[in-house]
Amino acid sequence: MPLWVWIALGALAVLVICEELRIFKVDRECRKKDEIFQAVTENAADMIALVDVKGHRLYNSPSYKRVLGYSPAELSETSSFEQIHPDDRMRVLEAAREARESGVGKRLEYRIKHKDGSWRVLESVASTIRDGRGDVAKLVIVNRDITERKRAEQQLEYNLFHDLLTGLPNRRMFMDRLQSAFARVRRETGRSYALLLANVDHFKVFNEAMGTKAGDHILTEIARRLSAEMRQDDGAARDRGAASDASLFRLGADEFTILLETVGDPSDAMRIARRLQEAVAAPFPIESREVRASVSVGIALTTAAHVRPEDILKDADVAMRRAKAMGGSRCEVFDEAMHTRAVGRLKLESDLRMALTERQFRIHYQPVLQLDTRRIMSFEALLRWEHPTQGLISPYRFIDAAEDTGILVSIGHWLMVQACHQLREWEVNDRSGSPMNVTVNVSARQFADARLANDIQDALQQTGIDPSRLQLEMTEKIASADPKLTVTVLSHLKHFGIGTVLDDFGTGSTSLVGLTQFPVDALKIDRSLIREMQTDRSASDIVELIILLAHKMNLKVIAEGIETARQLERLIELGCEYGQGYFFSQPMEAKAALIFMRQQFVSRKSAGTS
Ligand code: C2E
Ligand code: MG
Ligand code: MG
């Protein structure tokens, strides 16, 4: 063999040996790296796995046993792929492929089966190990168990969108759904949806009378019945081949709403409302008592007039309030007239606020007289609103709105102080020397307001008026709304030395016998009974009976709305001792009242009855 061949073979041998030595070195380095890798992963909390490019397990850190329950032997017998949740498998495969190809792994979440059969959620990141040729040879996968964190996140998300008492989706979820329904209707012509707003009647009374625990119980029971009814309705709709698409939400304390995303006919909404009302109406036992609740339902349908999703909610609210105003346990569908009324009402409410700050309220006084002697016993203070453009407005037109907004409490306080000041002023100017009283009407809210006692004390202190010269009138309706509270407040007033009158008697539901529970001083017979006394025999009998029984209970009787001499005569005959009405005088300004006092004094003096 020529020499050059030997030289070439020698060089080749040297090259091969060098290459072997290099591979040996790389291999040794790799082994060393594996050892370091193992040492690092052995005590790690995360699960660390080493897999080859085909997905075969080369190494699993001991934390696999702690987190997923499998021993190393069990792991080597099972396929890692099969432990992955079937729905997540494709994503995991795709991520592994990407990591192999790009050399960079993405963060991934997937579910894996615990040895006990439960699913754990893992968060994993893969990184690659290349071989000597620079090709990806292995993947290092770091897995972290995030099951608890996920559960907490889900709980948080659930709490954010659900009401914790009833478990129903809450207002936030409702607004989300309403927004989507609104957007869909805008996109797809011919689509419409409806909203049912159900409010529990007199819920406040339940809560106050039976305690909040019982109140919660009532709400949960109502929520349960509404849900059950809707599931049935859903089933029935499916049976008919129709999609009802109804969802129930709890909007606030005692308010539930149902979003009907597909309504063929408005009567669908009406039918559902009636069924829900029936479901709520069945009695349920609470603390060994039987309680009956009811809901008032307002229904509104999508219209072109709605520019924001919440507009339909406002309409449903107006209809619901109307259902309540008409006695509750009713169902009303929103219409345009309601809208006009609601807008008018809103304007009235804001005007009333302004009227108070602009001092537009006035007080007129109507005398209450002793019927046989015509001696003035007191003046009833009656509120008037001197409107800048509409003139003097009767309380009948604004008292309910003022009461609903709560502004009547402030007006009432102002009136009480003002009336006591007036009494003081009359006293100074009237030399007849007859002791005079003032009577003030209190509203339901004022009556239930803890500030009432302070307001009274404030008025008396400011004016130096003796408590016995102030009388408070509350209607029979207010008194019987919450008898327990009425008794407490009336006893308190009596203790103060303040007189109390049950107004508009005979129009409400209080039985005469039931009256004995209220510590009042007088009854004021409603003017409707006085008016009918002449024409209707039964009205006359009722008046007679009221006078008889009231006297038996040591209550004074005042007749309201005496307009004729005949009415006056008959009342005197029946033994009624006090009265007021146009026959004597209309309510009048303070100055006119003073003149009336003087005239009355003079005429009584000349008649010799003073
Ligand atoms: P009320 O307390 O029963 O007052 C009697 C009402 O009957 C007064 O109406 C009075 O003007 C009217 N009236 C008196 N005599 C006659 C009569 O012979 N014939 C007729 N047709 N009517 C007569 P007014 O002043 O319009 O007050 C209406 C109601 O508004 C009052 O009824 C009372 O419930 C309420 N109200 C008035 N002022 C106040 C107030 O300051 N606070 C509260 N909470 N309510 C008030
Ligand atoms: Mg009155
Ligand atoms: Mg009255």
Side-chain angles (χ1 to χ4, degrees):
M1 231 177 337
L3 184 63
W4 67 269
V5 175
W6 282 112
I7 292 169
L9 279 175
L12 195 65
V14 169
L15 271 176
V16 167
I17 289 165
C18 282
E19 180 61 10
E20 279 302 310
L21 278 174
R22 201 179 68 81
I23 288 170
F24 176 70
K25 197 173 154 223
V26 167
D27 229 35
R28 219 182 52 208
E29 275 172 5
C30 275
R31 261 206 307 279
K32 205 167 160 200
K33 271 187 190 160
D34 276 359
E35 278 162 18
I36 294 169
F37 173 80
Q38 204 151 343
V40 169
T41 59
E42 211 75 0
N43 297 311
D46 292 343
M47 292 173 291
I48 301 167
L50 191 66
V51 294
D52 66 16
V53 284
K54 293 201 175 99
H56 297 136
R57 286 178 169 138
L58 303 176
Y59 169 76
N60 291 302
S61 66
S63 44
Y64 266 88
K65 167 91 177 142
R66 193 172 36 77
V67 180
L68 293 178
Y70 303 104
S71 67
E74 283 167 330
L75 277 178
S76 59
E77 283 162 14
T78 52
S79 142
S80 58
F81 187 69
E82 272 162 22
Q83 283 163 356
I84 296 171
H85 194 287
D87 294 349
D88 297 344
R89 283 179 192 163
M90 286 320 288
R91 275 191 308 116
V92 175
L93 278 183
E94 184 58 19
R97 189 186 58 75
E98 255 183 61
R100 269 199 315 273
E101 284 173 6
S102 65
V104 212
K106 271 202 306 212
R107 192 191 150 277
L108 181 75
E109 267 180 37
Y110 63 98
R111 286 159 292 177
I112 195 154
K113 202 178 235 160
H114 189 280
K115 195 179 164 191
D116 67 11
S118 66
W119 292 104
R120 313 292 298 177
V121 186
L122 301 186
E123 179 186 62
S124 81
V125 185
S127 50
T128 50
I129 296 180
R130 292 177 190 278
D131 60 18
R133 283 179 289 272
D135 294 332
V136 172
K138 294 164 190 167
L139 292 175
V140 181
I141 304 161
V142 180
N143 294 297
R144 176 164 296 176
D145 180 11
I146 56 163
T147 315
E148 290 316 315
R149 192 182 89 200
K150 275 272 150 196
R151 207 168 280 158
E153 275 172 16
Q154 273 163 6
Q155 186 65 44
L156 222 66
E157 166 125 345
Y158 180 87
N159 293 353
L160 204 64
F161 290 101
H162 287 82
D163 161 51
L164 297 188
L165 178 70
T166 60
L168 289 178
N170 63 11
R171 176 178 277 269
R172 189 177 297 223
M173 174 96 102
F174 167 69
M175 289 315 289
D176 255 26
R177 289 284 296 276
L178 189 62
Q179 199 112 32
S180 332
F182 183 74
R184 205 165 34 248
V185 165
R186 294 230 140 169
R187 271 197 319 270
E188 301 166 27
T189 41
R191 269 195 90 112
S192 66
Y193 58 92
L195 200 66
L196 278 75
L197 191 64
N199 193 296
V200 183
D201 295 325
H202 315 295
F203 180 67
K204 207 167 149 269
V205 178
F206 284 130
N207 233 8
E208 281 169 5
M210 302 170 70
T212 44
K213 213 173 127 209
D216 283 355
H217 189 122
I218 293 173
L219 286 176
T220 347
E221 179 60 17
I222 290 179
R224 194 193 61 74
R225 290 185 188 186
L226 294 180
S227 312
E229 202 53 46
M230 297 214 4
R231 272 197 301 277
Q232 266 193 24
D233 204 83
D234 235 20
R238 266 197 302 276
D239 290 348
R240 290 196 314 269
S244 89
D245 254 350
S247 12
L248 172 70
F249 306 82
R250 183 178 176 209
L251 272 201
D254 56 350
E255 199 149 79
F256 300 88
T257 189
I258 292 123
L259 181 64
L260 290 177
E261 293 200 42
T262 36
V263 265
D265 192 302
S267 63
D268 279 356
M270 203 73 174
R271 180 183 46 79
I272 293 180
R274 297 237 183 282
R275 287 190 47 182
L276 295 178
Q277 281 180 314
E278 273 166 30
V280 172
F284 44 85
I286 290 184
E287 292 162 4
S288 72
R289 275 205 253 181
E290 225 178 43
V291 173
R292 277 173 200 273
S294 65
V295 285
S296 295
V297 183
I299 299 175
L301 299 144
T302 35
T303 74
H306 294 157
V307 286
R308 284 164 312 174
E310 55 270 32
D311 289 344
I312 191 172
L313 186 58
K314 283 199 191 122
D315 288 355
D317 191 63
V318 168
M320 184 275 289
R321 279 169 200 276
R322 178 141 183 86
K324 269 198 190 272
M326 293 179 76
S329 191
R330 290 178 63 102
C331 173
E332 287 289 319
V333 181
F334 177 83
D335 64 28
E336 262 319 296
M338 273 185 205
H339 178 71
T340 316
R341 269 199 300 272
V343 170
R345 176 71 174 233
L346 279 180
K347 166 113 178 61
L348 176 62
E349 286 174 4
S350 77
D351 286 356
L352 279 171
R353 270 179 227 287
M354 206 176 67
L356 188 62
T357 52
E358 304 270 308
R359 298 167 191 266
Q360 291 171 359
F361 290 111
R362 306 280 173 265
I363 307 174
H364 281 189
Y365 297 89
Q366 188 179 38
V368 179
L369 300 105
Q370 196 161 23
L371 296 183
D372 49 0
T373 63
R374 302 283 176 96
R375 180 192 285 266
I376 303 171
M377 298 314 294
S378 85
F379 277 95
E380 179 172 7
L382 293 157
L383 189 65
R384 302 284 179 268
W385 177 9
E386 197 173 318
H387 195 277
T389 55
Q390 296 175 33
L392 216 56
I393 301 182
S394 149
Y396 285 120
R397 275 182 51 201
F398 63 83
I399 218 98
D400 285 348
E403 172 75 334
D404 286 355
T405 50
I407 198 171
L408 194 54
V409 175
S410 313
I411 300 174
H413 179 217
W414 166 83
L415 184 134
M416 196 162 332
V417 175
Q418 205 61 26
C420 288
H421 271 297
Q422 194 53 62
L423 193 59
R424 197 20 116 222
E425 202 185 304
W426 283 330
E427 225 170 37
V428 174
N429 292 313
D430 174 41
R431 300 198 178 83
S432 67
S434 48
M436 194 74 59
N437 301 326
V438 73
T439 308
V440 166
N441 292 282
V442 285
S443 71
R445 274 216 201 179
Q446 232 181 327
F447 194 71
D449 196 306
R451 285 170 294 181
L452 181 66
N454 282 346
D455 283 3
I456 295 170
Q457 249 169 344
D458 187 29
L460 296 176
Q461 262 166 16
Q462 273 191 43
T463 53
I465 294 283
D466 190 80
S468 64
R469 301 184 52 206
L470 176 65
Q471 273 156 17
L472 297 191
E473 275 187 16
M474 80 241 47
T475 61
E476 185 195 343
K477 220 164 132 193
I478 298 176
S480 50
D482 188 346
K484 234 168 107 186
L485 176 80
T486 306
V487 171
T488 315
V489 178
L490 287 176
S491 310
H492 202 65
L493 293 172
K494 210 181 183 81
H495 181 74
F496 257 136
I498 290 163
T500 47
V501 181
L502 213 50
D503 203 355
D504 299 351
F505 193 80
T507 52
S509 55
T510 323
S511 70
L512 261 179
V513 180
L515 264 181
T516 43
Q517 59 177 326
F518 300 135
V520 287
D521 300 305
L523 288 188
K524 197 181 262 192
I525 307 176
D526 192 66
R527 68 168 194 270
S528 58
L529 280 174
I530 306 296
R531 192 181 52 231
E532 283 159 24
M533 217 170 49
Q534 232 94 65
T535 49
D536 180 350
R537 189 55 214 264
S538 71
S540 177
D541 288 349
I542 292 171
V543 172
E544 186 172 359
L545 217 62
I546 292 175
I547 297 170
L548 264 171
L549 282 170
H551 285 162
K552 272 208 172 359
M553 290 183 230
N554 278 330
L555 300 177
K556 291 185 199 124
V557 184
I558 308 163
E560 183 188 74
I562 305 174
E563 291 183 351
T564 65
R566 277 187 62 199
Q567 286 170 337
L568 175 62
E569 262 169 45
R570 178 79 184 127
L571 284 163
I572 294 177
E573 253 173 50
L574 294 175
C576 175
E577 58 272 60
Y578 304 100
Q580 68 190 99
Y582 296 169
F583 180 74
F584 305 112
S585 165
Q586 294 232 352
M588 55 203 152
E589 284 180 24
K591 261 193 205 145
L594 186 66
I595 298 170
F596 182 84
M597 262 182 258
R598 286 181 183 151
Q599 284 171 349
Q600 209 64 11
F601 180 67
V602 172
S603 63
R604 271 184 27 241
K605 215 169 169 187
S606 57
T609 52
S610 67

